[in-house]
Amino acid sequence: MRYHDVRIGLVAHALHHGTACFEGIRAYWSARTEQLFLLQPAPHYERLRQSARLMRMSLAPTRDELVELTLELLRRNDLREDAYVRPILFKSGEVITPAMDHIAETFAIYATPYGKHAEATNGIRCMVSSWRRISDQAVPPRAKITGAYINSCLIKSEAVQNGFDEAISLTMDGHVSEGSVANLFMLRGGKFVTPPITDDILEGVTRGLLMRMIRDEFGLETEERSIDRSELYGCDELLLCGTGAELLPVVELDRRPIGDGRVGRLSGRLRECYLAAARGESARYADWTIPVWPSAA
Ligand code: PMP
C-alpha cells in the first residue's frame, strides 16, 4: 500500500497501551557494487517471533517468508540508498481494556531511506542516566515491545537535554545495562566485556555480530558478565552498538574521558570493519548480508 492509504483507528489498542512488537533492520547501499545489502534480517525476524510469543500475538509468515517479503518491499520501493526497515505487529482492534486476548492484530512492514543515526567519527559523549532500565520483573526488555520504549525515550531525552549525545542506563540493582537503543561493550585490562542477557538488555543482533568480529579480528573472546558503573570510568575503551546506532565509540562519560578521550584504537578498527561488513564490502563477513537486487552477473 501507499503510505498515505494506510488507515489506523484512533481507538487502536496499540496506540493507547503500547501493545506492539517491532524490529529495526537496515539495508546499506554499496556504491562500489551498485547493490543494496539487507543486513541480518533472519535474526531480527526470529526476535520478532520471540517478542510476539511473549505477548501471545501471532505472526503468521515464517522467518524465510518475512525475509522474502522484506526483499520484495525494498525492490518495489526501488530503494538504491541506505534504508531502514520497520516491521511492526500491533493490536489494531478498537477495544478499551488492558486485557490483550481476542483483540485484532495487524502486521505491517515499511521501508524508508535512512542515513546515519549519529555522527560518530570523533566518538560520542555520554552520561549515566538517572532513569533505571526497566526490569524483566515489570516489562521484559528482551522483547522489543513499543510500550517499553518510553524507557528509552526518557533515557535519551534526559541525555540530550543535558547536552550529551547518549545515556547509559543501570539495572534496578545498579549494574550497567545498555544505551537507550544500543548495547554496550567495554575494553578493560585487554578484555572485551559486555553485560549478560540477564541484566535487562535487549539481546541485540549487532551485539552478537560484534562478539564474532572481536573473535575473528582480534582473537579475543568477549566476557559476558555484570559490569559495575565505576568500572566504566576507568576502562580503556567503551562503545555502544545497534542496528540503528551502528557502532558508537564513547570518548567521555559523566565528564570523565574514556582512555585518552579519543576514539579507542580497537573501537575505531571495529567500527570500520563493521561498516564495511554491513555494506556488503567485506569478503570475510559476506554471510551477514543478502543482496536485494539481482546481480549483474
Ligand atoms: N537495545 C535496545 C533497547 C534497542 O532498542 C536496540 C535496537 N534494536 C539495541 C539494544 C540494539 O539491538 P540490535 O543490535 O538488534 O539492533
Side-chain angles (χ1 to χ4, degrees), residues 116 118-123 249 263 271:
K116 280 199 198 80
E119 188 47 67
T121 320
N122 298 319
V263 172
R271 182 162 185 275

Side-chain angles (χ1 to χ4, degrees), residues 74-94:
L74 290 166
R75 289 186 200 119
R76 285 209 205 179
N77 279 280
D78 199 26
L79 282 162
R80 292 169 195 276
E81 61 192 299
D82 290 355
Y84 192 71
V85 176
R86 167 61 51 88
I88 183 163
L89 172 64
F90 62 101
K91 296 266 181 198
S92 48
E94 305 201 331

Side-chain angles (χ1 to χ4, degrees), residues 44 47 133 144 149 178 180-183 202 204-206 242-243:
H44 282 284
R47 186 170 65 195
R133 184 67 176 130
K144 205 166 161 71
Y149 272 73
E178 57 180 339
S180 64
V181 286
N183 293 119
L202 183 79
V205 174
T206 318
T243 303

Side-chain angles (χ1 to χ4, degrees), residues 26-152:
R26 265 189 191 263
Y28 286 92
W29 176 249
S30 166
R32 205 175 74 193
T33 53
E34 300 209 319
Q35 177 60 274
L36 184 65
F37 289 97
L38 183 59
L39 179 62
Q40 294 281 299
H44 282 284
Y45 283 121
E46 272 161 23
R47 186 170 65 195
L48 185 66
R49 191 168 305 282
Q50 289 303 321
S51 302
R53 280 172 76 110
L54 208 138
M55 296 283 281
R56 302 179 74 226
M57 295 172 80
S58 60
L59 184 62
T62 65
R63 184 194 72 182
D64 292 349
E65 285 166 352
L66 289 164
V67 172
E68 275 310 313
L69 282 170
T70 307
L71 292 168
E72 187 186 335
L73 180 71
L74 290 166
R75 289 186 200 119
R76 285 209 205 179
N77 279 280
D78 199 26
L79 282 162
R80 292 169 195 276
E81 61 192 299
D82 290 355
Y84 192 71
V85 176
R86 167 61 51 88
I88 183 163
L89 172 64
F90 62 101
K91 296 266 181 198
S92 48
E94 305 201 331
V95 184
I96 302 172
T97 170
M100 290 199 285
D101 295 317
H102 313 299
I103 298 180
E105 295 170 5
T106 300
F107 179 61
I109 313 176
Y110 74 77
T112 183
Y114 188 72
K116 280 199 198 80
H117 170 92
E119 188 47 67
T121 320
N122 298 319
I124 60 165
R125 297 173 54 250
C126 293
M127 62 180 280
V128 170
S129 184
S130 71
W131 295 99
R132 291 299 170 110
R133 184 67 176 130
I134 43 172
S135 158
D136 189 62
Q137 296 171 65
V139 180
R142 81 182 70 254
K144 205 166 161 71
I145 303 168
T146 56
Y149 272 73
I150 198 63
N151 186 229
S152 299

Side-chain angles (χ1 to χ4, degrees), residues 161-173:
Q161 283 158 11
N162 283 297
F164 295 96
D165 301 304
E166 249 301 337
I168 291 164
S169 63
L170 305 179
T171 62
M172 287 306 216
D173 65 0

